[in-house]
Amino acid sequence: MKAYVFPGQGAQYPGMGKELYENNGEAKKLFDQANEILGFEITKIMFEGTADELKETRVTQPAVFLHSVINAIVHPDFKPEMVAGHSLGEFSALVANGTLSFEDGLKLVYKRALAMQKACEINPSTMAAVLGLDDEVVEKICAEIEEEVVVPANYNCPGQLVISGSNKGIEIACEKMKEAGAKRALPLPVGGAFHSPLMEPAREELAQAIKETKFNKPKCPVYQNVNAQGSIDIEAIKENLIAQLTAPVKWTQSVHQMVQDGASIFIESGPGKVLQGLVKKINRESEVAQLS
């Protein structure tokens, strides 16, 4: 079975989507439509902007979403049997399997980006990657830091867990992770503590927008970050999507579940090859490819 996977924030690069825009009429139409929906020329930033300009959350999230989704929609061989996305990528997956329209998906992603940026300004916070420790050890250290917010945020692959929390909390946690034998524990260049309780203001804002958006019957199951299970139930999909902002991304668990449910090849649609690398680390036997 073919599983299509969609990347999250961090996969962006200058010039992303330009080739697609120039070589495919349908893609050009969708990119132009996106500029209208957003009210600014995101294509200009994607095709000509600097890495720094692309790094701003309000730009990054719709940019990665657009590249991922348009690349899939216009591809003649795109027939998903199961889909999943990493964090932001879950919205791309939901457009790809027909649950959300292109326009509604983009509007939600932009609302999410603005809400997250606002939450970051309310609570200055950050994330850090912890390499070379078992998940259980990372979870235990996070739980022991009671005076600050620190939680596991992204279960990316065995031996790679991203933690999220207050600036002070992450500083304390990184020291403790190194003492416990982590190969590395390094803060990431992100705007805030995504997938942690500090995103609660953004979750509330997004919840409202999700409730007002039309969700259609999915063409195939989406494996969601919150519970790593495949679903075609619209109400469950909505609830999981709302919970996603303050809950950890269970990517390792999602890939295991998809393999168990018959995924033989994981095809990544969007900028970069991050997810292909993670899939290989999670399950060496899985075949991976880029949708191009």
Side-chain angles (χ1 to χ4, degrees):
M1 277 173 91
K2 286 181 182 175
Y4 284 88
V5 293
F6 299 86
Q9 206 163 332
Q12 70 277 4
Y13 63 87
M16 60 190 280
K18 190 170 192 277
E19 210 178 307
L20 195 56
Y21 182 87
E22 288 171 352
N23 298 328
N24 187 299
E26 198 186 338
K28 183 182 185 300
K29 247 185 237 167
L30 289 166
F31 275 118
D32 289 341
Q33 189 189 342
N35 287 335
E36 276 178 42
I37 292 166
L38 294 172
F40 68 94
E41 272 195 77
I42 192 161
T43 48
K44 197 168 170 54
I45 306 172
M46 288 170 73
F47 306 160
E48 300 164 27
T50 63
D52 273 350
E53 286 170 308
L54 269 176
K55 216 162 60 181
E56 210 185 326
T57 297
R58 72 173 196 98
V59 173
T60 315
Q61 293 197 19
V64 172
F65 166 86
L66 287 170
H67 189 275
S68 306
V69 165
I70 294 172
N71 187 48
I73 292 175
V74 305
H75 202 286
D77 300 332
F78 181 68
K79 289 180 183 66
E81 292 167 285
M82 48 173 80
V83 294
H86 191 289
S87 187
L88 155 75
E90 190 159 285
F91 288 82
S92 309
L94 287 168
V95 173
N97 80 345
T99 308
L100 289 170
S101 70
F102 172 74
E103 187 173 338
D104 285 341
L106 178 57
K107 283 179 179 172
L108 281 180
V109 163
Y110 193 50
K111 273 191 180 146
R112 179 184 192 262
L114 294 178
M116 285 169 84
Q117 206 156 317
K118 212 191 296 176
C120 295
E121 285 156 17
I122 297 166
N123 293 308
S125 50
T126 192
M127 301 173 87
V130 180
L131 307 181
L133 277 186
D134 286 345
D135 291 352
E136 294 73 25
V137 178
V138 177
E139 289 164 352
K140 187 171 179 290
I141 292 171
C142 287
E144 284 167 0
I145 302 168
E146 290 174 355
E147 68 280 14
E148 294 285 340
V149 174
V150 189
V151 295
N154 298 344
Y155 291 81
N156 284 339
C157 66
Q160 189 193 120
L161 210 167
V162 174
I163 58 173
S164 192
S166 65
N167 291 339
K168 184 82 181 129
I170 293 295
E171 200 182 304
I172 297 165
C174 283
E175 283 310 310
K176 289 185 182 288
M177 300 292 174
K178 286 173 193 161
E179 284 165 20
K183 278 187 203 155
R184 295 175 83 181
L186 65 161
L188 297 171
V190 293
F194 305 147
H195 302 288
S196 84
L198 295 174
M199 283 292 120
E200 183 56 33
R203 190 194 69 80
E204 286 169 16
E205 215 171 303
L206 190 66
Q208 196 49 44
I210 286 171
K211 282 172 185 157
E212 290 163 6
T213 301
K214 184 180 187 293
F215 278 62
N216 310 303
K217 191 169 167 44
K219 291 177 194 151
C220 67
V222 58
Y223 285 72
Q224 292 188 276
N225 293 173
V226 168
N227 61 0
Q229 298 298 313
S231 181
I232 53 166
D233 178 306
I234 291 173
E235 287 313 310
I237 289 170
K238 279 187 189 180
E239 288 309 313
N240 290 336
L241 206 53
I242 291 167
Q244 195 222 56
L245 268 188
T246 51
V249 173
K250 295 182 174 173
W251 189 251
T252 303
Q253 300 88 327
S254 297
V255 171
H256 280 311
Q257 191 59 50
M258 290 165 97
V259 169
Q260 208 175 313
D261 292 349
S264 52
I265 180 166
F266 287 81
I267 304 165
E268 184 166 6
S269 177
K273 295 181 175 179
V274 172
L275 297 184
Q276 292 168 71
L278 295 181
V279 167
K280 273 297 192 193
K281 285 175 182 162
I282 296 164
N283 186 45
R284 224 170 292 153
E285 279 73 57
S286 291
E287 206 184 320
V288 295
Q290 188 87 16
L291 183 70
S292 56

